[in-house]
Amino acid sequence: MCGIVGYVGEKHPIKILLDGLKCLEYRGYDSSGVVLQNNSDSQIIKSVGKISNLEEKINNEKLIDSKIGLAHTRWATHGEANLVNAHPHKVGKVTLVHNGIIENAKELKEKLIDEGVEFLTDTDTEVACALINHYYDKDIKKAIEKACSEIVGSYAFGIIVDGVDEIYAIRKDSPLILGIGDNEYFIASDISAIINYTNKYILLDENELVEMNGDGYKITSNGKEVKKEVLVANMDASSKEKNGYPHFMLKEIMEEPVVLEKTLKPILSDMSLLPDLKKYEEIHIIGCGSAYYAGMIGKSLFEENGVRAIVEVASEYRYKKVLYDRKTLVILISQSGETADTIAAMRKANENDIDTLAIVNVKTSTIARESKKQIFIEAGPEIAVATTKAYILQVAILSLLAYSCGESSNKVIKDFKDLPGLLREVLDRKDEYFKIAKEIYKRDNIFFIGRKLDYSICMEGSLKLKEVSYIHSEAYQAGELKHGTISLIEEGTPVFGIITEDDIREKTISNVEEVKSRGAKVIIVTNSNIEGYDHVIKVKKVSKYVQSLLVVPVLQLIAYEVAKLRGCDIDKPRNLAKSVTVE
């Protein structure tokens, strides 16, 4: 959510800033802007909508000569998505871009109004900018530190000041890195924004203040200089390209067999790489969105092996009273490792001296650094907002963890080893999925039904469809249909029935018959021989630990094809953000 890029060096920054913003589009945004500066002369250009709109405005402007600039993509939190509220904001001599939420913005704003400050926007960001400017008297660093000491909430700030060709940056609970090039320096929300220019970077810890100019950089904390390790990103520019695919989402779905093999092969060769979970009496699985639905599958599999498990949405877990009255492990699931609510849930567990295990993609993320144990998935960059390959890897790791709590089985291990090849066969049936998509893409409502673990699959399938196609879609436990939901079924309503569990197959089929008799168009995804419905997609029958990993990609591809037929912005769905770094 929101993206920040900053540059200072020997070049005019506009191309670098625009390139960076385009690389951060996946984070979600509704407006964008840049500021260029040359001593006391500054130029702010902002636009609503796509970055291409901003680029068009820039192309029609005469740009000042500059070697320093900031750029920003805004995902609206305080104030509507319009030109006035777009970043950067300038108050007095201070210009600022911001990712995060200032929770006490109202109180700070009232205080500043009493001091005679006038506000032009509805944003919390302008309040932060005004507060820094209010305290600015020759020493901008002291002003920033003073302002930040009064701010409650999360922030990553990029700041420039009239008359000083330097960039200042500071963060708390929102990600920000310092990039290091040849006689040029960057700030960015993540490395993807600057990877075209450098792969060297420094992770900024909370409330470390950076000042940088064309000659170098300096990091301080509480007024004292801090020396930091320079890291090298294992990523190149080509990993952010579509490589011939029309959308990143499709590319990332088709990469699933490759990343599965990369992630699972070392573990399957040496299961001791997994932490020993048998010493825990209870497991809490925490996530948001698709990570939460991955956790639902994990919970089912843990319970199959007699392990007490609960799965919670991070935004609820962080605030509820949790009884840590057993030997407990808290598993945190996050692709980015920067999900605000999941970070808060992790810190809650850490504060209670509870073991935490992160399943995370980004090795340098906050969750990776602060959790007590980590399992890294090897998804690589995931650019599409709707997760696909990262979700598959999260489920795969949870499945292996659950398996490690039960009896060993050569067949299960073989299923895991065969999984990449089996998944390729599933993905190769795109014509079949396209045919289904053509029959349902004009519908207003679509439903998914299943029982037990199949219901967890339904939740992810429904989410993926609504995320990218904007069709209203819901997932229900099949047995709950008669308790109200069946009233929504009418002639031609598409209903997906997920049927993979032998012990309740006939029960789910009975529920499917109930919607069929009321005119529903029924699409079955199963590992059994089932006939008599509009479409039946059969996948290979494998171990319960692996089965969902052959079913969900079917639903991912159908969601993709439906969204494509509807002309949706598949990689950047409206109102959504990839990395939810605010509450």
Side-chain angles (χ1 to χ4, degrees):
M1 307 184 82
C2 296
I4 292 173
V5 187
Y7 172 84
V8 59
E10 299 175 342
K11 306 167 188 170
H12 195 286
I14 195 64
K15 182 181 184 303
I16 296 167
L17 297 176
L18 285 172
D19 284 350
L21 290 186
K22 290 173 184 176
C23 291
L24 294 175
E25 282 189 290
Y26 74 93
R27 296 174 69 88
Y29 70 103
D30 40 55
S31 62
S32 56
V34 300
V35 58
L36 307 173
Q37 179 165 298
N38 186 344
N39 201 354
S40 294
D41 189 13
S42 64
Q43 181 180 22
I44 295 176
I45 306 171
K46 303 191 284 187
S47 179
V48 176
K50 298 296 183 184
I51 290 170
S52 57
N53 298 343
L54 175 66
E55 197 166 17
E56 184 177 348
K57 289 185 75 170
I58 288 170
N59 290 337
N60 291 323
E61 294 266 356
K62 183 178 180 181
L63 302 180
I64 65 171
D65 184 34
S66 173
K67 291 182 171 56
I68 181 172
L70 296 170
H72 186 269
T73 51
R74 175 179 186 250
W75 191 88
T77 55
H78 289 67
E80 64 181 89
N82 59 27
L83 194 64
V84 173
N85 289 331
H87 299 206
H89 291 295
K90 183 171 186 178
V91 179
K93 294 184 176 182
V94 176
T95 304
L96 178 145
V97 294
H98 167 220
N99 176 18
I101 290 181
I102 310 302
E103 296 175 7
N104 62 335
K106 183 179 178 181
E107 294 85 350
L108 293 172
K109 188 172 186 177
E110 290 171 353
K111 166 188 166 182
L112 291 165
I113 288 173
D114 289 342
E115 297 283 344
V117 177
E118 295 183 1
F119 289 89
L120 303 176
T121 80
D122 301 318
T123 67
D124 56 341
T125 300
E126 188 187 18
V127 175
C129 188
L131 188 64
I132 294 170
N133 183 72
H134 176 69
Y135 289 127
Y136 178 42
D137 181 16
K138 297 182 182 179
D139 191 334
I140 185 62
K141 292 198 293 183
K142 285 186 177 179
I144 294 169
E145 289 171 343
K146 173 68 173 170
C148 288
S149 71
E150 297 184 10
I151 289 172
V152 177
S154 60
Y155 52 80
F157 292 140
I159 304 161
I160 58 177
V161 184
D162 287 356
V164 183
D165 281 345
E166 293 188 331
I167 290 177
Y168 302 88
I170 193 169
R171 66 169 286 266
K172 176 182 176 291
D173 293 335
S174 286
L176 198 66
I177 63 169
L178 165 65
I180 302 170
D182 295 329
N183 298 317
E184 56 186 6
Y185 302 90
F186 311 79
I187 57 169
S189 296
D190 66 55
I191 189 65
S192 67
I194 58 175
I195 196 66
N196 291 336
Y197 302 96
T198 184
N199 64 349
K200 297 177 182 178
Y201 67 102
I202 288 174
L203 290 170
L204 299 176
D205 288 320
E206 303 224 329
N207 288 315
E208 289 181 340
L209 177 59
V210 180
E211 56 178 312
M212 60 189 200
N213 55 40
D215 296 323
Y217 66 91
K218 183 178 181 181
I219 303 172
T220 56
S221 178
N222 296 319
K224 296 180 180 179
E225 186 171 0
V226 179
K227 298 297 183 181
K228 305 276 291 188
E229 180 185 3
V230 177
L231 304 173
V232 178
N234 183 24
M235 176 182 180
D236 56 47
S238 65
S239 62
K240 302 188 286 84
E241 303 300 326
K242 294 175 186 173
N243 296 339
Y245 288 98
H247 298 94
F248 281 109
M249 182 179 179
L250 181 59
K251 176 197 174 194
E252 289 158 8
I253 293 171
M254 302 308 290
E255 287 175 342
E256 287 172 355
V258 175
V259 297
L260 268 169
E261 187 164 16
K262 186 176 181 181
T263 300
L264 297 184
K265 191 173 182 179
I267 299 173
L268 295 173
S269 299
D270 182 6
M271 291 291 285
S272 68
L273 293 174
L274 293 176
D276 179 11
L277 304 192
K278 292 181 179 179
K279 63 182 178 180
Y280 297 105
E281 298 172 0
E282 185 166 277
I283 294 174
H284 298 181
I285 307 172
I286 313 300
C288 301
S290 290
Y292 170 70
Y293 298 143
M296 288 177 62
I297 292 177
K299 167 185 162 66
S300 294
L301 294 174
F302 277 119
E303 289 176 340
E304 288 282 328
N305 282 329
V307 178
R308 186 189 302 270
I310 65 170
V311 58
E312 293 269 5
V313 174
S315 57
E316 293 295 319
Y317 187 88
R318 65 180 294 187
Y319 291 117
K320 69 180 289 186
K321 182 175 178 60
V322 180
L323 300 176
Y324 297 117
D325 56 350
R326 297 181 175 90
K327 180 65 175 175
T328 302
L329 173 70
V330 175
I331 300 178
L332 296 312
I333 310 172
S334 172
Q335 184 279 137
S336 68
E338 299 292 352
T339 310
D341 288 317
T342 310
I343 290 172
M346 172 189 65
R347 289 173 175 168
K348 176 176 185 168
N350 286 341
E351 288 165 5
N352 282 275
D353 198 28
I354 299 299
D355 285 352
T356 50
L357 168 65
I359 300 175
V360 65
N361 190 35
V362 181
K363 294 178 174 65
T364 55
S365 63
T366 301
I367 290 175
R369 285 182 285 148
E370 294 187 19
S371 56
K372 295 178 182 177
K373 303 174 184 178
Q374 306 80 32
I375 299 176
F376 295 112
I377 60 174
E378 298 291 345
E382 191 176 58
I383 306 301
V385 168
T387 183
T388 51
K389 60 178 180 177
Y391 166 88
I392 290 295
L393 293 179
Q394 290 162 355
V395 172
I397 292 299
L398 286 166
S399 299
L400 274 173
L401 287 170
Y403 164 74
S404 72
C405 295
E407 296 293 326
S408 61
S409 164
N410 292 333
K411 183 186 181 306
V412 173
I413 294 299
K414 183 178 185 302
D415 281 350
F416 273 111
K417 289 180 177 178
D418 291 345
L419 180 58
L422 295 173
L423 183 49
R424 286 187 180 94
E425 294 175 9
V426 170
L427 299 179
D428 283 345
R429 297 160 64 181
K430 292 191 289 295
D431 289 346
E432 189 176 349
Y433 310 141
F434 177 70
K435 182 179 178 181
I436 294 170
K438 282 186 69 176
E439 295 181 16
I440 67 175
Y441 80 97
K442 292 183 180 180
R443 304 299 303 194
D444 295 324
N445 301 285
I446 296 178
F447 299 98
F448 292 73
I449 60 173
R451 290 171 178 260
K452 295 175 61 180
L453 192 146
D454 289 338
Y455 170 63
S456 302
I457 295 172
C458 288
M459 293 294 285
E460 176 61 15
S462 176
L463 176 63
K464 212 53 52 193
L465 183 66
K466 72 181 76 170
E467 277 182 313
V468 298
S469 74
Y470 314 147
I471 292 175
H472 171 248
S473 173
E474 298 293 342
Y476 292 99
Q477 295 100 332
E480 287 295 294
L481 281 172
K482 293 185 288 294
H483 297 279
T485 308
I486 202 164
S487 67
L488 300 173
I489 303 299
E490 56 188 19
E491 188 68 32
T493 300
V495 176
F496 285 81
I498 311 302
I499 308 173
T500 68
E501 298 207 68
D502 291 343
D503 60 328
I504 41 84
R505 181 194 306 114
E506 299 306 321
K507 297 288 186 183
T508 307
I509 289 175
S510 294
N511 301 133
V512 170
E513 285 294 324
E514 291 166 357
V515 297
K516 179 184 176 182
S517 67
R518 287 159 176 81
K521 177 184 283 295
V522 176
I523 302 108
I524 300 293
V525 186
T526 183
N527 57 6
S528 302
N529 293 319
I530 297 177
E531 298 178 348
Y533 301 103
D534 295 276
H535 294 277
V536 177
I537 301 168
K538 185 180 178 183
V539 300
K540 184 177 176 62
K541 187 176 186 64
V542 290
S543 158
K544 63 186 177 183
Y545 298 103
V546 177
Q547 194 68 70
S548 64
L549 298 166
L550 295 181
V551 175
V552 172
V554 173
L555 305 180
Q556 293 173 343
L557 280 171
I558 292 174
Y560 169 81
E561 295 293 354
V562 168
K564 187 176 179 182
L565 286 166
R566 290 170 66 90
C568 298
D569 191 348
I570 293 173
D571 290 333
K572 301 182 287 292
R574 67 188 181 206
N575 302 330
L576 297 182
K578 181 70 174 175
S579 180
V580 184
T581 55
V582 298
E583 283 195 67

